[in-house]
Amino acid sequence: MKTVDRSKLNELMNRVSSGDRSAIDPLFEDLRPVILTFATKILTSSLEAEDVTQQVLINIFSRSSEFIQGKDALSWVFGITAYECKTQKKKTSRRKEDGDALISRIQATENFEDKLIINQLQDLLKDIIADLPSLDKETILLSIEDSLKPEVGSATYRKRLQRAMTRLKQAWRVKHEF
Amino acid sequence: MNSEILKNNIKRAYEWARFRQSLILLLWTIPLTLFSIWACGTITLSIILGTLLSVAAVLFLWRGQILGKAALTGLFLGTIAFLIPLVFHLSGLCCKADLEKEICAVTGALVGIILARSITKVENKKVVYTSASLGIIILAGVLGCGSMGAGAVVGLVGGILIPIIPFYSFFKKA
């Protein structure tokens, strides 16, 4: 950061606060880099620091009549900058929180849609299974419910299940054309 | 944002803020005008003078620097020039003995002395300061003395100017 001439800054600030328009440009040129450096140190993002610098400059000039002549202008400027940086930080964290909430809401919506699709598919599947022969129906239900044990041997059961699944797939294709 | 655009935004914000802050003087000039309407009964004259006084005071304070100082000094002394004759007028003291002109002249002289003292404290642009302050003092004073006739107004203005001229030339030499 380039060295700040405090006495020059005080003099310019006094002139601006009393209504001397010719001091606006030099004060702007002197203050801008100082505020930007200060804001960059507080805020991590340089873009945010640039935004804050612009806001602080507008605040300083519009509140210049509040500046008490004889006080240190740089301290006054840093006070306003620190406040703006704090506000910016709050805004950023609030935006992040809002973003997180939005993401979880979207996720919840996606889960809901998934559940709805699964329910619809299950209903369709139940309809098709209901139309199957009773042996196929029984075999498929046995395969879904792990707790139930088939009454026949495992090889026979596997064969039955294979046949039942083939018929189920055929019935699905016929009914839903895919 | 471009530096020039930012600078223009800053200047606009600066002027707008100064103008808004200078509007606070209306809290001073509007009651004076209303009091003048109530006490003098000259509605049109009071409204015209009150408007001129308000515009001048707000404009001077908005421009700032020496004009801003002049606006505040002028309003303070103008209020004295406004109130003293009106108080005498309302109490009936001046009307019984027909002392309106004299009271306005004495008030003007008192205000003139205080103004002359304040001019000595101003370092630069004394003429601008004196003219601006005088303008506001006379407007405020006439707001109070206007209903008492042209003689009272002449007495007030003369009373203000008489102490200023010698004070002014004396301090100019010094």
Side-chain angles (χ1 to χ4, degrees):
Chain A
M1 182 164 58
K2 100 177 172 186
T3 330
V4 186
D5 185 351
R6 283 195 172 207
S7 58
K8 188 189 163 200
L9 210 62
N10 288 341
E11 188 233 317
L12 287 171
M13 198 67 227
N14 285 339
R15 279 171 57 195
V16 167
S17 73
S18 68
D20 185 356
R21 274 78 173 167
S22 65
I24 293 178
D25 282 357
L27 184 64
F28 171 83
E29 300 300 342
D30 281 3
L31 279 183
R32 196 180 186 183
V34 177
I35 295 168
L36 186 63
T37 315
F38 185 79
T40 313
K41 278 181 185 169
I42 296 179
L43 302 163
T44 45
S45 155
S46 61
L47 279 174
E48 278 184 356
E50 182 63 40
D51 283 351
V52 165
T53 305
Q54 288 171 13
Q55 192 53 50
V56 168
L57 282 166
I58 290 173
N59 283 356
I60 283 170
F61 281 92
S62 55
R63 288 170 57 188
S64 60
S65 56
E66 290 171 24
F67 175 71
I68 301 162
Q69 301 216 349
K71 293 267 176 184
D72 185 32
L74 199 63
S75 308
W76 188 69
V77 167
F78 280 161
I80 293 174
T81 314
Y83 180 79
E84 275 302 323
C85 287
K86 201 176 152 191
T87 311
Q88 181 63 37
K89 272 186 170 179
K90 269 187 197 166
K91 267 188 205 167
T92 313
S93 68
R94 209 177 301 140
R95 216 176 293 147
K96 202 179 161 229
E97 279 169 16
D98 288 350
D100 290 347
L102 189 68
I103 287 167
S104 57
R105 219 162 46 228
I106 290 167
Q107 281 172 346
T109 314
E110 281 173 356
N111 289 341
F112 177 73
E113 282 176 3
D114 287 349
K115 277 178 191 167
L116 203 69
I117 291 166
I118 289 166
N119 283 343
Q120 281 176 343
L121 286 172
Q122 279 176 343
D123 289 345
L124 292 173
L125 198 61
K126 273 178 196 167
D127 288 347
I128 292 170
I129 291 171
D131 293 342
L132 288 175
S134 59
L135 187 65
D136 290 351
K137 211 188 301 178
E138 206 175 287
T139 314
I140 289 169
L141 290 174
L142 273 174
S143 72
I144 295 168
E145 295 291 329
D146 290 336
S147 57
L148 298 173
K149 284 186 178 176
E151 290 168 356
V152 291
S154 61
T156 317
Y157 170 73
R158 269 206 307 277
K159 197 72 191 167
R160 270 188 196 172
L161 184 62
Q162 193 187 348
R163 276 192 225 115
M165 289 306 286
T166 309
R167 276 192 280 271
L168 178 68
K169 281 174 192 169
Q170 275 172 352
W172 182 275
R173 275 192 208 110
V174 169
K175 200 159 188 178
H176 300 292
E177 295 176 355
F178 65 89
Chain B
M1 197 190 284
N2 185 316
S3 182
E4 279 307 308
I5 297 171
L6 178 61
K7 224 182 263 184
N8 286 338
N9 286 349
I10 282 170
K11 283 178 185 169
R12 208 176 303 127
Y14 175 74
E15 295 297 351
W16 181 236
R18 282 196 70 85
F19 179 69
R20 263 184 302 156
Q21 279 150 7
S22 62
L23 286 179
I24 201 161
L25 289 186
L26 294 180
L27 293 176
W28 197 336
T29 58
I30 290 174
L32 283 188
T33 312
L34 293 175
F35 187 59
S36 166
I37 291 170
W38 174 76
C40 306
T42 50
I43 299 172
T44 316
L45 182 71
S46 296
I47 289 175
I48 292 170
L49 288 171
T51 310
L52 284 175
L53 177 69
S54 304
V55 169
V58 168
L59 209 70
F60 288 170
L61 193 64
W62 167 57
R63 288 309 299 168
Q65 292 182 280
I66 201 73
L67 284 175
K69 277 184 190 169
L72 294 176
T73 312
L75 265 183
F76 174 68
L77 295 177
T79 309
I80 296 174
F82 169 87
L83 281 177
I84 294 176
L86 263 189
V87 168
F88 275 95
H89 181 67
L90 289 173
S91 62
L93 289 171
C94 59
C95 308
K96 281 175 194 164
D98 197 21
L99 288 171
E100 280 108 340
K101 289 168 214 152
E102 287 77 6
I103 285 172
C104 284
V106 170
T107 309
L110 175 74
V111 168
I113 290 167
I114 303 170
L115 179 64
R117 286 290 302 156
S118 80
I119 293 167
T120 60
K121 289 172 188 164
V122 176
E123 288 167 5
N124 305 311
K125 297 182 180 172
K126 285 189 179 189
V127 179
V128 178
Y129 176 79
T130 312
S131 320
S133 306
L134 266 178
I136 294 204
I137 293 170
I138 290 171
L139 277 172
V142 175
L143 197 63
C145 293
S147 62
M148 295 175 207
V153 174
V154 171
L156 178 82
V157 176
I160 296 170
L161 289 176
I162 287 166
I164 287 178
I165 297 162
F167 259 86
Y168 198 74
S169 36
F170 173 77
F171 280 106
K172 209 174 178 184
K173 278 175 196 165

